[in-house]
C-alpha cells in the first residue's frame, strides 16, 4: 500500500469548502440553487430566495436536513447540481457525458467516443476531458464493466477534475464515509492501480506528473467510502414514450440508470422508509428535492434510500449492509 498523498490544489473552492465544515445549525447553501434558469446576459442576476432547509445535527443520525418554515406537499425545496457525475457504461454513447441528459440525433457530438447535449455542457467538460482524453481507459473501464462497478468511474471523473485544477482533492471530505472492512479495501486495490497506471502511462507536464505520482491509495479508498454512502443512481422521469420503453427494457436487464452522481446538500438527507421528501430527476442529473406531504417548521426532511416497497426485513438488510445503520423509523418500528 502506498503512503503517497495526493497533492492538494489550493483553489478558492477548496477554502470555501474548508471554512464551511459543519457547524451546528449553520445552513449549508453553497452548492445548490433554488432555480435552474439561466439569466439573460444583459440582466442583473436576481438573488434567488434561500431554500427553506438547513443542515443540523439530529439526535441519533448524525447530520440531517430540517425545514426552516412550514412546507406544503408538492413544494420544490431546492434543486442541486452534481459535484461529480458519470454515465452508466451502457449509456455512455446515448447520454450527455456531462449532465447525463439523453442525447438526441441533432445534438452536438464532436467527440468520437462521448456525446454532449449542448455546447454549454461540452464547454463545462473541457477541463476534466483535457486530462481524461490523454490517458487510455480501456483496462480501467473493462475492470468496472467486468466487476459491475460504477463508483470507481465517479472516482476517475473526480481525479480528472482535480488534476485539471477544476476542483480540490478534498471537495468530498465533508461527506460521511462508509466504514470499510479490510476485505473491501483490498478489493479496491485493483481499481486504484488501474487508475494510477492509466495516468502514469499518459504524457502530462511535470507539474501534473508530480501530482499523479503522489496519488495515494488512501485518498482513493476515502473517496470511494464517501461515494458509497452518498452517490445517487440517476433515473430520469421525463422523456418520450420510446425513452420510457427503453428504460423499462434496460431496467429488466438491471441497467435502468443513466448514471450516478454525488451532490452536496442532498447527501445530508437522512433516510426514512416512509419519507416526507423525495429526490427526482426530470431529464438530466440536476436533482429536484420535493416535499411529499406537508412538513412543519423544524421537522426533519428525510428521503428513502431504497425501494420502499420491500418488506421490513429486506429494507433492514439493505440499509444495514449498504449504509451501516439499523433503521428505527416509525414504519420499521410498527413492523410494516
Ligand atoms: C447520506 S448520509 C446522511 C447524512 C449523515 N447523517 C451525515 O451526518 O452526513 C447517510 C448516513 O446517515 C446515517 N443515517 C441516515 N439515515 C439514518 C436513519 N434513519 N437512522 C440512522 N442513521 C441514519 C447513516 O449513518 C447513513 O450511512
Amino acid at each position: 500500500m502506498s503512503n503517497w498523498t495526493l497533492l492538494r490544489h489550493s483553489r478558492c473552492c477548496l477554502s470555501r469548502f474548508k471554512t464551511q465544515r459543519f457547524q451546528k445549525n449553520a445552513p449549508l447553501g453553497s452548492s445548490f440553487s433554488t432555480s435552474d434558469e439561466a439569466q439573460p446576459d444583459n440582466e442583473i442576476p436576481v438573488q434567488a430566495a434561500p431554500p427553506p432547509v438547513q443542515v443540523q445535527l439530529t439526535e441519533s443520525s448524525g447530520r440531517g436536513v430540517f425545514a426552516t418554515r412550514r412546507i406544503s406537499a408538492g413544494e420544490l425545496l431546492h434543486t442541486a447540481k452534481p459535484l461529480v457525475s458519470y454515465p452508466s457504461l451502457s449509456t455512455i454513447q446515448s447520454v450527455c457525458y456531462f449532465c447525463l441528459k439523453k442525447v438526441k440525433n441533432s445534438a452536438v457530438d464532436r467527440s468520437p467516443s462521448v456525446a454532449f447535449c449542448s455546447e454549454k455542457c461540452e464547454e463545462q467538460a473541457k477541463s476534466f476531458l483535457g486530462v481524461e482524453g490523454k490517458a487510455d481507459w480501456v483496462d480501467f473501464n473493462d475492470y468496472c464493466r467486468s466487476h459491475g462497478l460504477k463508483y470507481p468511474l465517479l472516482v476517475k471523473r473526480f481525479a480528472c477534475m482535480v488534476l485539471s485544477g477544476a476542483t480540490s482533492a478534498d471537495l468530498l471530505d465533508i461527506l460521511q464515509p462508509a466504514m470499510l472492512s479490510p476485505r473491501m479495501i483490498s478489493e479496491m486495490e485493483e481499481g486504484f492501480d488501474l487508475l494510477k497506471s492509466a495516468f502514469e502511462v499518459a504524457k502530462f507536464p511535470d507539474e501534473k506528473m508530480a501530482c499523479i505520482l503522489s496519488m495515494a491509495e488512501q485518498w482513493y479508498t476515502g473517496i470511494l467510502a464517501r461515494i458509497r454512502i452518498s452517490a445517487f443512481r440517476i433515473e430520469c422521469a421525463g422523456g418520450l414514450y420510446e425513452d420510457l420503453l427503453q428504460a423499462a427494457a434496460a431496467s429488466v436487464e438491471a441497467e435502468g440508470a443513466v448514471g450516478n452522481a454525488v451532490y452536496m446538500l442532498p447527501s445530508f438527507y437522512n433516510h426514512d422508509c416512509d419519507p416526507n421528501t423525495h429526490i427526482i430527476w426530470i431529464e438530466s442529473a440536476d436533482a429536484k428535492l420535493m416535499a411529499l406531504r406537508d412538513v412543519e417548521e423544524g421537522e426533519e426532511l428525510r428521503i428513502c434510500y431504497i425501494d420502499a416497497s420491500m418488506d421490513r426485513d429486506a429494507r433492514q438488510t439493505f440499509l444495514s449492509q449498504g449504509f451501516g445503520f439499523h433503521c428505527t423509523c416509525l414504519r420499521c418500528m410498527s413492523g410494516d
Side-chain angles (χ1 to χ4, degrees):
M1 206 181 276
S2 158
N3 288 327
W4 292 326
T5 53
L6 185 76
L7 289 182
R8 309 216 146 170
H9 285 252
S10 57
R11 296 179 56 84
C12 58
C13 56
L14 169 60
S15 54
R16 195 177 77 216
F17 280 100
K18 269 192 170 160
T19 51
Q20 251 198 350
R21 298 231 171 234
F22 179 70
Q23 295 165 347
K24 199 165 184 239
N25 294 349
L28 192 99
S30 69
S31 67
F32 59 89
S33 60
T34 50
S35 166
D36 289 326
E37 283 170 31
Q39 289 288 338
D41 288 342
N42 56 352
E43 278 183 26
I44 298 163
V46 180
Q47 191 74 41
V53 302
Q54 68 177 13
V55 176
Q56 275 176 234
L57 269 185
T58 65
E59 278 185 11
S60 57
S61 315
R63 299 160 296 186
V65 180
F66 291 78
T68 55
R69 62 161 169 77
R70 196 169 188 285
I71 292 164
S72 304
E75 200 176 314
L76 171 67
L77 303 173
H78 62 88
T79 60
K81 290 200 175 286
L83 299 173
V84 192
S85 61
Y86 203 90
S88 304
L89 285 173
S90 62
T91 61
I92 221 154
Q93 308 284 341
S94 56
V95 302
C96 176
Y97 203 48
F98 185 74
C99 77
L100 312 188
K101 186 175 176 177
K102 193 167 166 47
V103 175
K104 307 247 167 16
N105 291 339
S106 57
V108 181
D109 181 5
R110 295 193 192 122
S111 160
S113 54
V114 295
F116 292 99
C117 68
S118 65
E119 287 181 1
K120 190 176 166 200
C121 280
E122 193 172 12
E123 187 59 35
Q124 285 179 278
K126 247 185 192 151
S127 52
F128 69 74
L129 216 52
V131 171
E132 188 185 317
K134 287 197 166 67
D136 180 349
W137 295 102
V138 170
D139 290 346
F140 185 83
N141 289 354
D142 280 353
Y143 156 78
C144 293
R145 197 175 284 109
S146 63
H147 290 74
L149 300 172
K150 50 204 180 183
Y151 299 153
L153 296 163
L154 286 168
V155 188
K156 165 186 146 185
R157 168 71 53 91
F158 185 55
C160 292
M161 289 164 66
V162 172
L163 287 172
S164 72
T167 195
S168 66
D170 60 0
L171 177 70
L172 305 182
D173 286 4
I174 194 172
L175 304 181
Q176 180 177 318
M179 296 283 286
L180 300 177
S181 65
R183 190 176 60 82
M184 289 157 108
I185 293 175
S186 79
E187 281 171 5
M188 291 171 178
E189 222 166 88
E190 188 178 351
F192 171 72
D193 290 343
L194 289 168
L195 179 84
K196 192 160 175 179
S197 69
F199 283 133
E200 280 173 352
V201 169
K203 294 269 173 287
F204 286 108
D206 287 353
E207 180 206 320
K208 277 202 182 20
M209 223 48 223
C211 189
I212 289 160
L213 289 172
S214 70
M215 264 176 88
E217 188 165 348
Q218 257 173 322
W219 176 80
Y220 181 85
T221 51
I223 298 295
L224 267 184
R226 286 167 174 80
I227 288 175
R228 201 181 141 86
I229 294 267
S230 296
F232 287 88
R233 181 176 188 268
I234 317 283
E235 283 185 68
C236 297
L240 305 167
Y241 179 65
E242 296 80 60
D243 297 340
L244 293 176
L245 288 183
Q246 259 183 24
S251 61
V252 171
E253 293 155 22
E255 187 58 291
V258 291
N260 296 277
V262 178
Y263 304 82
M264 186 54 75
L265 185 57
S267 295
F268 291 99
Y269 281 79
N270 284 319
H271 163 88
D272 198 293
C273 296
D274 182 18
N276 54 14
T277 306
H278 71 158
I279 181 164
I280 57 166
W281 296 269
I282 305 299
E283 54 173 19
S284 74
D286 291 353
K288 290 183 194 301
L289 277 290
M290 317 276 299
L292 281 170
R293 52 173 178 260
D294 291 350
V295 176
E296 295 305 320
E297 179 180 342
E299 204 180 316
E300 186 179 356
L301 295 154
R302 292 192 172 213
I303 57 176
C304 185
Y305 294 176
I306 53 170
D307 176 359
S309 66
M310 290 188 291
D311 67 26
R312 183 183 175 282
D313 288 349
R315 298 197 312 270
Q316 289 280 346
T317 306
F318 260 82
L319 292 167
S320 148
Q321 290 176 357
F323 297 91
F325 69 91
H326 172 68
C327 187
T328 54
C329 73
L330 287 178
R331 187 175 162 206
C332 283
M333 290 296 99
S334 74
D336 174 9

